Amino acid sequence: MAVLFELIARRYETRSLAIAANQPFSAWDRIFPDQAVTVAAIDRLVHHATILEMNGDSYRRRAAADRLAGNPDPQATTAHKTLTNHHADSHHADSLADNSKDNLTP
C-alpha cells in the first residue's frame, strides 16, 4: 500500500484528509509493507487529527448475515414501502389538485 502512504505523506500538514477504516491502528501492520512505514503513516495521520471512533454494529455486516441466513433486508422492505406510499400520495395530491381546479369560479 505504498500509494496510501504516499497520499498521507503528501497531504501531511498541507491539506485535510478523511479516512474511514474498519481496523484499529494496531492492525495496520497488515496494510503497509513494513513496520516503519506503518508507524510513519499513523504518526502523520494522528499528529493534528480529530479521531471519531464508532463502535456500533455494522449495518453492512448485519445485512450480509441476514442475506446468508435467507432473511430479507428490513431496510430495503421499508424503503420500498416508503417509495410506494410516496407514489400513492403523489397521485392522491394530483387528484386533489384536479378537483380544486374544477371548483374554481372564473
Side-chain angles (χ1 to χ4, degrees), residues 1-104:
M1 280 296 212
V3 175
L4 179 58
F5 178 78
E6 186 69 27
L7 173 69
I8 294 168
R10 284 189 181 189
R11 296 188 72 93
Y12 177 62
E13 294 206 28
T14 62
R15 305 264 182 189
S16 296
L17 182 63
I19 293 183
N22 62 355
Q23 298 294 318
F25 289 133
S26 61
W28 281 32
D29 58 343
R30 294 179 291 191
I31 296 170
F32 295 101
D34 61 56
Q35 185 156 358
V37 174
T38 304
V39 170
I42 293 170
D43 183 58
R44 285 169 175 79
L45 285 173
V46 302
H47 182 220
H48 298 292
T50 299
I51 298 175
L52 305 173
E53 186 174 349
M54 297 174 215
N55 291 320
D57 285 342
S58 167
Y59 168 76
R60 288 185 186 98
R61 183 176 297 180
R62 192 172 352 113
D66 286 347
R67 279 194 307 274
L68 288 174
N71 299 330
D73 182 2
Q75 292 293 334
T77 305
T78 303
H80 176 71
K81 287 179 183 175
T82 302
L83 288 173
T84 304
N85 290 341
H86 175 71
H87 185 69
D89 289 345
S90 114
H91 280 301
H92 181 66
D94 290 343
S95 148
L96 289 175
D98 289 341
N99 288 340
S100 66
K101 286 178 195 173
D102 295 338
N103 295 332
L104 293 175

